[in-house]
Amino acid sequence: MFSPAQWLIGLVPLGLVGALLAGHTATPAVAQAGVATADQQVSASGRTSLGGADPSVIKVGKLYVSAKSGGGGITVRSATTLKGLATAPKHQVWRDKSGRGEVWAPEIVHDKGRYRIYFSAGRGTAHRMYHISSTKAASGYSAATQVSLPGNKWAIDGVPFTFRGQRWFVWSGWAGNSNIEQNLYIARMSSPTKATGSRYVISQPREKWERVVGHPYINEAPQPIVDPSGRLHIAYSANGSWSNKYCIADLRLRAGGNPTYVWDWYKSNGCLFGSYAPSMMSGWSTTKKVDGPGHHTFVLANGDATAGPPSGKRFPIMFHAVAKGTPYSWSHRYWYTGTAVWWGKTTYRRANVPGATKDVGYSLKYFE
């Protein structure tokens, strides 16, 4: 059964599940001088020696902890700096002994004294989300348990978070059983591994700038974070990861909005971090050193979405990309360190959908 939000989407041909774009205006939250000096507390940005995709990094105490797929399983590394993760010893904490298939995009959080890693495994249409946990970062993980999501459809890139005291889970999935397009879905959770109620679509790749590369068209790699005003954002990646048009965009929940109601979400009017100029939101610049940045991680304390930093302070991120001048392919992707800053008074506009046509609030600026 479709939710009311899904039914509404069907009524809007190529309608945004955030918005049909109509432009934007933005005013920086802080003076440029303030942004420039705020980077002193984070690691220098740049390419690490760690090849591959889909970084997930959190900070627990004084340590940075990462999770990465590879070798038919998942490895964890810990270091005192972000760049140090690349050379830190890796510990294989889970191996696919059941022959599930491809293991993708593990996401690590630290919740109530336990490290929890969520990942997708499967072949073709069989991809589902799984969970392992331990009291220690590098060992002692439980057997993999499938995350119980509404509909039991193809699902990847799942991330848990808490907002307004409620557990949530956001992921990339299919509406049905065919790979036509990847949408972003959200569901309430009654426990770390069990959803309660329905799934709700909050974004579909229906904007022109999200459809530069397709078949299928892509919204994936959601990353929840709460801005300094207390509003929820889901930053995500758009366009195919096999192309240098891959980029990062933003969904912003309206003040007091319902996370399960699609029209309470406003979408950035273009990419916020990318290398393809025609897809960028007005006022946002393309990357200078990398092509196709995407599937990033906000490096937050314990992976807690509510631990977002204050306005005016750059904070660390990691993302995968391909160095400019290198042929773009999955095999040429590396993990990069970078930074982001909250950018205030940014207008996201939309048309031909229920609700207000514009919403003003924080957005994000990304830096290589």
Side-chain angles (χ1 to χ4, degrees):
M1 179 178 293
F2 290 97
S3 70
Q6 290 170 302
W7 179 77
L8 279 170
I9 292 163
L11 296 180
V12 185
L14 296 184
L16 164 92
V17 179
L20 293 177
L21 91 97
H24 106 291
T25 57
T27 304
V30 291
Q32 287 294 333
V35 172
T37 59
D39 197 23
Q40 298 171 355
Q41 298 178 355
V42 300
S43 302
S45 62
R47 191 176 99 171
T48 73
S49 59
L50 197 57
D54 311 334
S56 176
V57 184
I58 61 176
K59 193 172 186 186
V60 182
K62 295 182 179 180
L63 284 179
Y64 295 94
V65 184
S66 70
K68 188 177 186 295
S69 63
I74 296 169
T75 58
V76 169
R77 303 168 188 254
S78 299
T80 56
T81 65
L82 274 178
K83 281 200 169 181
L85 288 171
T87 55
K90 65 178 180 179
H91 303 273
Q92 185 140 30
V93 298
W94 181 81
R95 191 182 300 276
D96 181 17
K97 296 179 180 179
S98 300
R100 288 183 176 90
E102 301 150 333
V103 179
W104 291 345
E107 188 79 22
I108 189 167
V109 298
H110 190 248
D111 174 40
K112 300 187 185 304
R114 296 191 71 85
Y115 290 89
R116 300 185 183 279
I117 300 177
Y118 295 81
F119 61 96
S120 174
R123 291 185 176 86
T125 61
H127 270 276
R128 299 294 187 272
M129 291 302 307
Y130 294 88
H131 163 272
I132 57 176
S133 72
S134 175
T135 57
K136 296 178 286 186
S139 63
Y141 280 82
S142 62
T145 300
Q146 185 174 335
V147 181
S148 174
L149 296 176
N152 192 27
K153 301 292 186 182
W154 188 91
I156 66 169
D157 298 351
V159 185
F161 67 100
T162 299
F163 180 62
R164 298 177 187 160
Q166 168 68 53
R167 286 184 182 269
W168 299 88
F169 199 77
V170 61
W171 71 98
S172 178
W174 300 345
N177 297 314
S178 300
N179 192 8
I180 298 170
E181 60 183 11
Q182 287 178 219
N183 306 320
L184 298 184
Y185 294 93
I186 195 169
R188 293 181 178 88
M189 301 292 284
S190 59
S191 76
T193 59
K194 185 173 179 58
T196 179
S198 303
R199 69 171 183 166
Y200 300 88
V201 67
I202 59 172
S203 182
Q204 288 176 293
R206 298 294 180 84
E207 293 303 316
K208 182 179 179 180
W209 53 268
E210 295 177 295
R211 299 172 72 85
V212 179
V213 177
H215 306 298
Y217 297 106
I218 303 289
N219 278 181
E220 64 184 11
Q223 289 293 307
I225 188 169
V226 175
D227 73 25
S229 70
R231 295 173 65 178
L232 177 63
H233 295 246
I234 304 290
Y236 67 97
S237 296
N239 293 304
S241 63
W242 57 90
S243 163
N244 61 6
K245 311 300 191 300
Y246 203 48
C247 70
I248 295 172
D250 180 45
L251 291 174
R252 183 174 66 211
L253 188 66
R254 73 170 180 83
N258 177 358
T260 69
Y261 182 55
V262 65
W263 305 124
D264 278 355
W265 290 95
Y266 286 77
K267 184 175 287 192
S268 58
N269 298 129
C271 301
L272 304 181
F273 194 39
S275 57
Y276 183 61
S279 293
M280 300 299 293
M281 189 160 83
S282 176
W284 269 248
S285 301
T286 55
T287 50
K288 294 184 174 14
K289 300 176 183 178
V290 301
D291 281 331
H295 202 131
H296 72 313
T297 180
F298 296 114
V299 184
L300 302 174
N302 299 321
D304 180 2
T306 65
S311 174
K313 300 292 184 182
R314 286 204 198 185
F315 54 96
I317 64 168
M318 291 197 82
F319 60 94
H320 79 238
V322 173
K324 280 194 182 294
T326 302
Y328 197 93
S329 72
W330 283 348
S331 62
H332 291 156
R333 294 177 297 186
Y334 281 84
W335 285 20
Y336 284 78
T337 62
T339 56
V341 68
W342 289 112
W343 208 252
K345 298 181 180 178
T346 305
T347 301
Y348 294 169
R349 298 183 185 275
R350 64 188 190 182
N352 304 320
V353 299
T357 58
K358 66 179 181 179
D359 181 80
V360 180
Y362 283 101
S363 186
L364 289 154
K365 286 270 188 175
Y366 290 91
F367 301 88
E368 298 170 86

